[in-house]
Amino acid sequence: MNAAELWIQLSADGLVEGAQPDPEPSGSPWFVRVMLGIAGWIGALFLLIFVGLTLSSIIDDAASSLIAGAACCAGAFALFRGFDGQDFAEQFALALGLTGQALLVVGLAHLFKAGNAGLYLAVAAAEATLVLVIPHFLHRLLATGGAALAVALAFNQLAFQGLAAPLLCVALAAIWLNPARWATSGRLWRPIGYGLVLALLLTETFRLFGTENLFGRARETGWMALHVPLVGRGLTGAVLIWVAAVLSIREGFAPNSRIVLLAVGAASLMAILCMMAPGLGSALLIVLLGFAAGNRLLIAFGILSLLGFAGHFYYSLHATLLAKSGILAVTGFGLLAASLFLRRSADRLEQPRNA
């Protein structure tokens, strides 16, 4: 399918309208882009070294840090808008924007008490504003990840550790399950989608190794600390079941059809098994969304994270190797049985209503 045929198909589906836009000019070779990017970071590094000579007086004052951070972000915005497509300027602007984000965080840390949930919520609001304002893919991706991680840290300070992951799963599913949004506003939602994936994986990893406490410990250490993470894994499993049902119904099957019930049943089984293995539910959700969107990069992230979380579960010391081997064996036999059932009953499964 060429570009003209693709535009006609998208127009027929109501995803685009108007005349086909002119093709974008071909960019520079990749090695030229790499060299220009390196040159941009070198130039930004020299600028930061020059600014760093007076940085000590800036970071000690909240107002100075916030003003300097806002100025850096404004400069990054001007460079992104004025030199769009020029690798040197874009990389320079990216380094300048990241410096501005760091200065904003320092300034907000002066205004709020250390370890306060309000600090992380303020950081999340600032990062979300930068996502909407600065029109650059990588900058938006990193700002989205920063905002989501700040929300997760705020949840940790409120003794709701473990509930940030299902919240990120809901946001992730809402974005990746809406292809129309990607077609109309892809420059905004594409980096947000990838940024949420990055934040979800980092949040689950921090939870596994307890490193979220480096940014302030949760005040609750009793019942809440013991059961809230379990509730969070249960909610993540619920999101996995919901996504499986939505994707099955999207294919045209009736909600009470055999294929929908089978998909919900398989997702429910996996959700129950993932209750005992932190992180697996989120990884399976990423894999499922990747298959639904036909996104190989998302599938690769999901599979790698799935292997990592399964390896951590197997080698952790919270249960005996025999018990964990039994859980993994039951999971494997369940998946093989489901695969065999689908292969043998494929001809008897109901066809979509619109087939």
Side-chain angles (χ1 to χ4, degrees):
M1 180 180 294
N2 56 35
E5 294 173 344
L6 177 60
W7 184 265
I8 294 174
Q9 182 64 42
L10 293 175
S11 300
D13 294 338
L15 299 177
V16 296
E17 60 183 10
Q20 178 183 351
D22 296 330
E24 296 183 358
S26 58
S28 304
W30 68 269
F31 50 87
V32 176
R33 296 173 61 92
V34 170
M35 292 302 298
L36 289 174
I38 294 174
W41 278 92
I42 292 175
L45 179 62
F46 279 105
L47 176 63
L48 295 178
I49 291 175
F50 175 77
V51 176
L53 297 176
T54 58
L55 195 60
S56 58
S57 60
I58 295 177
I59 62 177
D60 291 335
D61 181 67
S64 300
S65 298
L66 292 175
I67 293 174
C72 290
C73 292
F77 170 79
L79 288 174
F80 281 132
R81 291 297 298 268
F83 300 92
D84 186 20
Q86 299 187 20
D87 299 290
F88 177 88
E90 286 189 353
Q91 296 301 319
F92 188 92
L94 179 61
L96 192 63
L98 294 179
T99 303
Q101 293 183 42
L103 290 173
L104 289 176
V105 172
V106 171
L108 291 174
H110 285 299
L111 295 179
F112 292 87
K113 182 180 178 181
N116 191 347
L119 168 62
Y120 298 118
L121 293 177
V123 171
E127 295 283 7
T129 302
L130 294 176
V131 171
L132 298 175
V133 172
I134 298 183
H136 186 261
F137 179 88
L138 186 55
H139 193 280
R140 277 175 167 165
L141 187 153
L142 295 175
T144 300
L149 288 175
V151 171
L153 292 172
F155 272 59
N156 184 58
Q157 294 307 304
L158 296 173
F160 294 143
Q161 58 273 48
L163 296 185
L167 178 64
L168 292 177
C169 287
V170 171
L172 197 65
I175 292 176
W176 285 91
L177 289 177
N178 194 340
R181 179 184 292 123
W182 287 69
T184 56
S185 305
R187 292 195 63 182
L188 173 64
W189 292 108
R190 187 173 293 106
I192 292 177
Y194 285 113
L196 289 176
V197 172
L198 176 64
L200 177 59
L201 295 179
L202 289 177
T203 300
E204 293 284 21
T205 303
F206 290 161
R207 286 287 305 151
L208 287 180
F209 295 97
T211 51
E212 82 278 7
N213 292 331
L214 295 175
F215 303 94
R217 292 183 178 273
R219 293 186 294 272
E220 193 70 39
T221 58
W223 186 93
M224 291 285 287
L226 181 63
H227 292 88
V228 170
L230 188 63
V231 173
R233 292 198 292 270
L235 293 176
T236 300
V239 176
L240 180 65
I241 297 170
W242 170 65
V243 170
V246 169
L247 292 177
S248 301
I249 296 174
R250 177 184 292 179
E251 294 298 321
F253 294 99
N256 59 348
S257 62
R258 186 187 306 174
I259 190 64
V260 175
L261 296 178
L262 179 62
V264 170
S268 301
L269 175 61
M270 295 307 302
I272 294 173
L273 293 173
C274 291
M275 291 286 290
M276 297 172 281
L280 288 184
S282 299
L284 286 173
L285 178 65
I286 294 174
V287 173
L288 184 59
L289 292 174
F291 274 108
N295 190 305
R296 296 181 179 179
L297 182 60
L298 196 62
I299 295 173
F301 274 123
I303 293 176
L304 291 176
S305 59
L306 185 64
L307 294 175
F309 291 139
H312 178 272
F313 169 74
Y314 185 78
Y315 288 105
S316 60
L317 301 178
H318 69 282
T320 64
L321 289 177
L322 180 61
K324 290 183 286 190
S325 299
I327 294 174
L328 293 175
V330 170
T331 304
F333 280 122
L335 292 174
L336 290 175
S339 175
L340 182 62
F341 174 78
L342 287 174
R343 289 177 182 274
R344 290 190 174 183
S345 60
D347 295 335
R348 299 192 301 270
L349 290 176
E350 300 177 32
Q351 297 297 321
R353 290 173 297 177
N354 57 4

